[in-house]
Amino acid sequence: MATGPRLALGLLALCSVAAAEQQRTPMPDLDVLYIERKPRYTGYAVEYDLKGRQGVPILVDNRTRKPLSTKDAAAVKRWPAAGETVTFTAHVGNRGDAAALPYVWEWRIDGKPATEGKSASAQKPGEEQTFTLRWKWLPGRHTVEFRADPLSVVPDRNLHNNRRSDATDAWSLIWAVDKVTYASFNQNPNMLGTRSFEDWAQWHIDRMNELFDRSPTPWDDLPRNKWPESKRLGWRPRVRCDRVVVVDNTDNWEEKVLGKGVNALAAGYDGAWPFGRREDCSEWASKPDWGLIHEWGHQLGLTDLYALDRPAYLNLAPDHAGDPLLMGRLANQRGTMMHGHGPTLFSKVCMGALMTQMGRRRGYYGDYYFNTPKQSSLLVLDRSGKPVPGAEVSLRQDVESGYRGSPFFVGKASPAGVVVLPNRPAGHVTTDLGYTQRDNPFGKINVVGQGDVLLVTLRARGHEEHAWLDITDFILAYWRGNTERTVLTLRTLIPPAGGLPAPSGLSAVLSRDNVQLTWQAVKGAPRYQVYRIAPDQTAAKPMNKPISSTTLTASLVGAGLHRFRVSAILPNGVEGALSPPVRAMQFGKPWGIAVAPDGRHFIRDTHFGQAVLQKADGATVGLVGSVHDHFEGSYDIAFDPSGRLLSAKWGDGYNPHEGFKMQGTDLVVTHSVLATQGLAPGQFHKPMGIAANAKGDIFVADTQNDRIQQFTPQGKFVQHIGVGDLRLPMKPAFDSQGRLYVADFGTNAIVVYSEHPDGSYRLARKLLGVKEPVYVALDKRGRVFVSGQRHAGVFMLDEDGKPVWTYRGTQSDPLYLPRGLAFDLEGNLLIVDEGAGRVVSVKVPD
């Protein structure tokens, strides 16, 4: 079985589009578009939001949406009965540019001829004809196939699209295609060399079925008597296209095509997919769209496995020093289809989900998450693979998308190293296949991922480390036969009994892309092992061979928060406990900086979608704030008098609108003022800087509109400032008298405005001592500090704008691209150096 992480499945079968586009002689192209089946029977109608049962899947009547009793649910007909006559209809198009002569056609069942005939007349280009087969239904896996011109008698540009074969028990899809998109697909050559939307889309159906055949299952390494019925029968999931409808547009297409209040499941399909409007589909048609297979997986009830990833910024659980851990992880099933797109195989969990649903119709989503053992335990093993009696195990669960506060469970390992996990209350429900949500370690199971990953903290023998348990560990154990009890194994770096204590005093000193690590010697240790925890990860991995020194200089590979730990090694090679980690931040493109009222530093690094948090002493904590909702697309940040964090925002891939955002002390967005790019009040064009005055009003440097915009603390537009005076304003700031200072890049000036009784700001003076200023800040004494780009320095200006103090770094370590400026609680100047990727603290003159 091929199990490589990225397989170019089926690509060898693709014809050369270039060859197909050589000199074209008018020819027909017979194309078996799809096979539909009637009658159709309803899938499952499931409600997840019934009053008092929120989050619990409840079967309801498709029409009334009222809950069904077990008896009523069992009475709903979902498949044809054995011996019932069904009708298959093959839709055949001519996608060529000449008429097709009358041709022989043939139906086959399970590969054997069933009936044949001949088309009555020539088929014009663009014309569609249909051919039917009546068949007495047989349950289980069978195939139905239609062949147009099976002996290739009729001239035909492409022969590989003259037949279509489907599994009779395949899950069915209906596709709704915008008429403009459909026409464009049928006018442009696709990756198969044809001009057919159906050929292109059916290629994805074939690849999806091929992936089902190639993907691993939970039972591959188990004896046959442990296999489910589907695997014993050699059954693999199948999908098919049952119908293609071309619509004026795909808005509310189900109501237009299927009827008011009728969705695809109620109409007898297992899933649906709309192809919205694109005027030009030439690029879309020219290559595979692996995202379709991912999305069709959802139509079959599969969940997003990336929802089991946990980004580091959500992990606010305290570490040994009380700082947020900020450790993340990727899901156990990463690198598979429902974690990403493709070309990748489906995971064992996805295959287990589908293969335990043989013969079931669709409608439920993720209810296979309920398959957890009745009792689960953890076996804690040390570095040598032996149990760790007395190990302390604590568990936290993400609540409202984050880990924080105290653990919900703390337990001690038995003499055998086993910790029995608690079963927490869950809403008891059994779905139609017997999937039962019972009390379990996660409590009420959320089938879309939240709460389905547990953060584990382990402490033993002077050592602490963290690990993860996600719900797929429990599901796989259940499917492999451990329905009553399972013991999940955690292999850790806990030292064997008798190992040396962890080295103390581990420190990190950064110098550009390198970090120097130093620690105190441990008595009896001739060697030490240094470990690295990569950004956004949790696992500590050795980064070198053991060394005898108590210092090591290491390269920081990649921007992000790096952690380092060190252990002492006995002469016999036994490693001791790992030290608490030390943190070292490798900046990407730092720019703005703001100091919170409590002294913490927030640095906006445009390489990340977050801010970098430092303690008041400059020690790095890590990246904080949500990637998508908060800082992405911004360069500058500032605090207002109430402690809210403000950020000026450009458009980004998630939201093209520009403006600014306001966040509370917990970094949750409280207000957003965003608009399409423009010149009207409240519209922006690449805003760079932001600040607030003593009253809490917000001032945004609307850089490419050459103005400052003022807003109330609630985000209501007040006025424009500096129109006609400014050219590329970069950063606003205020002194204690309420005067507004603007670093104006285009005029090489710090432009100062005074506030008048009517609330307007009028030009007071210009300070012309710095070329290309990018940032301005004022200390408590009202002195003006400016970072300049042209001469790469920071300048303190007198009242006339002349530099009276300059800082360009040191001879061996100069500033490269100074950007943001702020003052810490001690009055030291903090300089963000984008070019060197660092924040420099400098004592300024008295």
Side-chain angles (χ1 to χ4, degrees), residues 15 28-34 91-96 146-149 152 156-165 190 192-200 202-203 206:
C15 298
D29 182 9
L30 292 176
D31 187 358
V32 182
L33 306 176
Y34 60 95
H91 294 251
V92 182
N94 179 358
R95 292 291 189 253
F146 182 84
R147 299 182 178 186
D149 190 24
S152 303
D156 198 333
R157 176 167 284 118
N158 297 286
L159 300 178
H160 59 77
N161 57 359
N162 288 23
R163 64 182 60 185
R164 185 76 213 161
S165 178
N190 59 40
L192 299 163
T194 69
R195 297 167 185 260
S196 167
F197 167 80
E198 287 85 354
D199 284 359
W200 177 85
Q202 290 279 23
W203 183 90
D206 294 337

Side-chain angles (χ1 to χ4, degrees), residues 211-291:
L211 285 171
F212 290 151
D213 285 343
R214 291 172 175 253
S215 296
T217 77
W219 311 280
D220 292 339
D221 61 339
L222 295 181
R224 186 180 180 86
N225 65 348
K226 298 285 189 180
W227 292 359
E229 180 185 8
S230 58
K231 187 169 177 64
R232 290 198 300 272
L233 293 174
W235 185 92
R236 290 281 177 141
R238 286 291 181 267
V239 290
R240 64 183 180 89
C241 172
D242 188 78
R243 190 179 174 192
V244 177
V245 292
V246 181
V247 295
D248 289 339
N249 61 72
T250 54
D251 295 339
N252 302 315
W253 72 267
E254 286 179 302
E255 181 172 308
K256 298 173 186 175
V257 173
L258 305 177
K260 187 174 182 179
V262 180
N263 61 21
L265 293 171
Y269 305 95
D270 292 293
W273 193 252
F275 293 83
R277 176 161 299 192
R278 291 195 195 181
E279 300 288 341
D280 182 0
C281 295
S282 56
E283 182 178 358
W284 196 6
S286 69
K287 56 189 176 183
D289 184 349
W290 294 99

Side-chain angles (χ1 to χ4, degrees), residues 58 107 126 137 140 179 202 268 278 297 560 643 716 726 771 773 799:
I58 303 297
W107 282 99
W137 183 264
K179 64 182 181 181
Q202 290 279 23
R278 291 195 195 181
K716 183 178 179 181
L726 303 174
K771 299 295 185 183
E799 292 186 356

Side-chain angles (χ1 to χ4, degrees), residues 227-490:
W227 292 359
E229 180 185 8
S230 58
K231 187 169 177 64
R232 290 198 300 272
L233 293 174
W235 185 92
R236 290 281 177 141
R238 286 291 181 267
V239 290
R240 64 183 180 89
C241 172
D242 188 78
R243 190 179 174 192
V244 177
V245 292
V246 181
V247 295
D248 289 339
N249 61 72
T250 54
D251 295 339
N252 302 315
W253 72 267
E254 286 179 302
E255 181 172 308
K256 298 173 186 175
V257 173
L258 305 177
K260 187 174 182 179
V262 180
N263 61 21
L265 293 171
Y269 305 95
D270 292 293
W273 193 252
F275 293 83
R277 176 161 299 192
R278 291 195 195 181
E279 300 288 341
D280 182 0
C281 295
S282 56
E283 182 178 358
W284 196 6
S286 69
K287 56 189 176 183
D289 184 349
W290 294 99
L292 278 178
I293 296 176
H294 176 107
E295 297 301 332
W296 292 344
H298 290 319
Q299 299 300 304
L300 304 186
L302 299 178
T303 64
D304 278 318
L305 291 173
Y306 62 74
L308 300 178
D309 294 346
R310 289 297 179 265
Y313 69 84
L314 292 179
N315 190 350
L316 304 178
D319 69 359
H320 66 284
D323 296 321
L325 276 174
L326 301 178
M327 287 180 168
R329 54 96 68 169
L330 293 175
N332 294 345
Q333 309 296 310
R334 59 188 176 274
T336 60
M337 175 56 71
M338 300 309 293
H339 188 268
H341 288 172
T344 52
L345 301 179
F346 285 92
S347 68
K348 290 182 178 181
V349 164
C350 289
M351 290 303 296
L354 297 176
M355 291 184 68
T356 55
Q357 300 183 53
M358 182 176 67
R360 189 196 204 196
R361 297 299 303 281
R362 295 306 321 146
Y364 283 100
Y365 182 81
D367 62 327
Y368 54 89
Y369 274 35
F370 295 166
N371 288 334
T372 59
K374 289 184 179 179
Q375 185 62 67
S376 299
S377 302
L378 288 181
L379 171 61
V380 182
L381 301 180
D382 66 18
R383 187 186 286 115
S384 66
K386 295 180 179 180
V388 185
E392 181 185 283
V393 174
S394 61
L395 302 177
R396 288 181 173 86
Q397 187 176 31
D398 53 318
V399 178
E400 297 180 356
S401 300
Y403 298 87
R404 51 177 59 85
S406 301
F408 71 82
F409 170 78
V410 178
K412 294 280 188 180
S414 70
V418 174
V419 178
V420 178
L421 301 182
N423 277 334
R424 303 164 71 202
H428 292 203
V429 63
T430 298
T431 61
D432 68 305
L433 280 189
Y435 297 166
T436 299
Q437 179 174 245
R438 56 175 65 87
D439 294 350
N440 65 85
F442 299 89
K444 185 177 180 179
I445 292 172
N446 185 327
V447 298
V448 296
Q450 184 173 317
D452 294 338
V453 182
L454 303 180
L455 172 64
V456 185
T457 301
L458 303 115
R459 297 184 180 92
R461 300 169 184 167
H463 173 98
E464 177 180 296
E465 69 178 84
H466 305 277
W468 302 90
L469 290 172
D470 80 34
I471 199 164
T472 62
D473 299 319
F474 298 80
I475 297 170
L476 290 172
Y478 182 98
W479 282 336
R480 288 171 62 84
N482 303 303
T483 58
E484 296 295 317
R485 292 181 178 80
T486 191
V487 178
L488 303 174
T489 300
L490 281 181

Side-chain angles (χ1 to χ4, degrees), residues 525-799:
R527 293 179 301 161
Y528 301 90
Q529 178 66 62
V530 178
Y531 289 80
R532 175 177 173 267
I533 302 173
D536 286 333
Q537 298 299 306
T538 302
K541 297 182 179 180
M543 60 175 296
N544 63 300
K545 293 181 179 180
I547 59 175
S548 58
S549 174
T550 57
T551 184
L552 175 72
T553 299
S555 297
L556 294 177
V557 181
L561 179 65
H562 299 257
R563 292 176 171 88
F564 299 91
R565 306 183 73 174
V566 63
S567 66
I569 305 175
L570 285 167
N572 63 5
V574 173
E575 274 191 59
L578 270 65
S579 67
V582 65
R583 307 185 187 201
M585 184 70 201
Q586 173 76 327
F587 286 96
K589 293 184 67 177
W591 187 280
I593 185 171
V595 176
D598 62 5
R600 293 177 300 162
H601 313 161
F602 288 79
I603 301 100
R604 178 68 191 102
D605 190 320
T606 62
H607 181 83
F608 307 101
Q610 301 133 288
V612 178
L613 172 62
Q614 293 181 339
K615 297 181 183 181
D617 63 2
T620 296
V621 176
L623 291 160
V624 295
S626 166
V627 174
H628 303 317
D629 297 332
H630 300 176
F631 296 112
E632 191 166 48
S634 64
Y635 280 79
D636 192 32
I637 52 181
F639 281 98
D640 72 3
S642 67
R644 293 186 304 177
L645 189 58
L646 314 174
S647 57
K649 185 184 182 301
W650 291 19
D652 58 61
Y654 295 92
N655 187 343
H657 293 168
E658 301 187 353
F660 62 96
K661 290 189 175 185
M662 300 170 255
Q663 301 174 49
T665 55
D666 55 0
L667 299 186
V668 173
V669 173
T670 58
H671 293 84
S672 293
V673 178
L674 301 172
T676 56
Q677 192 178 93
L679 267 170
Q683 288 186 307
F684 298 86
H685 191 184
K686 300 292 188 293
M688 287 297 297
I690 193 166
N693 65 11
K695 295 181 291 187
D697 283 354
I698 299 165
F699 296 73
V700 182
D702 188 3
T703 303
Q704 293 201 24
N705 281 334
D706 300 329
R707 65 192 182 187
I708 300 293
Q709 295 201 58
Q710 180 185 357
F711 297 82
T712 68
Q714 294 74 37
K716 183 178 179 181
F717 175 79
V718 176
Q719 63 180 323
H720 291 140
I721 302 169
V723 176
D725 302 329
L726 303 174
R727 192 165 71 247
L728 299 178
M730 300 293 286
K731 171 67 177 180
F734 289 88
D735 65 13
S736 60
Q737 304 302 310
R739 289 184 289 257
L740 170 63
Y741 292 71
V742 181
D744 193 44
F745 189 90
T747 63
N748 297 311
I750 303 300
V751 184
V752 185
Y753 295 90
S754 296
E755 185 180 13
H756 286 250
D758 63 358
S760 64
Y761 282 82
R762 301 175 191 174
L763 179 64
R765 57 194 173 120
K766 292 186 177 183
L767 307 178
L768 302 173
V770 178
K771 299 295 185 183
E772 298 178 352
V774 295
Y775 219 87
V776 59
L778 292 96
D779 66 5
K780 293 180 179 179
R781 293 165 55 182
R783 296 182 297 181
V784 180
F785 293 79
V786 182
S787 57
Q789 176 165 289
R790 183 177 299 183
H791 300 297
V794 176
F795 309 89
M796 184 173 74
L797 308 182
D798 64 14
E799 292 186 356

Side-chain angles (χ1 to χ4, degrees), residues 800-844:
D800 297 322
K802 296 180 181 178
V804 294
W805 175 80
T806 300
Y807 182 81
R808 291 194 171 94
T810 64
Q811 185 173 0
S812 61
D813 202 11
L815 294 179
Y816 282 81
L817 288 174
R819 301 303 191 200
L821 303 174
F823 293 91
D824 65 18
L825 298 185
E826 303 299 321
N828 298 309
L829 178 62
L830 304 176
I831 305 170
V832 176
D833 187 352
E834 180 190 5
R838 60 181 176 171
V839 177
V840 181
S841 177
V842 179
K843 186 175 178 59
V844 297

